[in-house]
Amino acid sequence: SIFVVATAYGLWDFAMQRGRVVLLVTVSYLLPLASTLFAGWYFREHVGWHLLVGAALLIFGAVLCNHGVIVNKNK
């Protein structure tokens, strides 16, 4: 488990240093949704409409944030 945590921290730090913060945050919001959908498929559990509506709102909010951030490329 130490290797997994160290790898995740290293990749997160690498992405943050590259300046793609908005993209990284958007993807980090989508990962729990992907894991929930995968677990529902794997365990053959019904995914309710509440989850799908919440996921749609989460994705919509992430897209709004992504388009609302003004990136100054001169820095």
Side-chain angles (χ1 to χ4, degrees):
S1 67
I2 292 173
F3 176 73
V4 173
V5 171
T7 303
Y9 177 77
L11 290 174
W12 180 270
D13 190 50
F14 179 75
M16 291 297 270
Q17 289 178 2
R18 295 287 182 205
R20 302 293 305 251
V21 176
V22 176
L23 177 65
L24 186 63
V25 170
T26 304
V27 170
S28 71
Y29 277 129
L30 297 178
L31 282 177
L33 172 65
S35 67
T36 302
L37 292 175
F38 178 76
W41 170 78
Y42 184 76
F43 293 120
R44 296 186 181 136
E45 291 289 327
H46 177 69
V47 176
W49 66 273
H50 290 97
L51 177 68
L52 297 177
V53 169
L57 289 172
L58 183 74
I59 292 169
F60 181 68
V63 168
L64 279 178
C65 288
N66 196 12
H67 289 297
V69 173
I70 299 173
V71 179
N72 187 359
K73 294 187 179 187
N74 293 331
K75 287 186 176 181

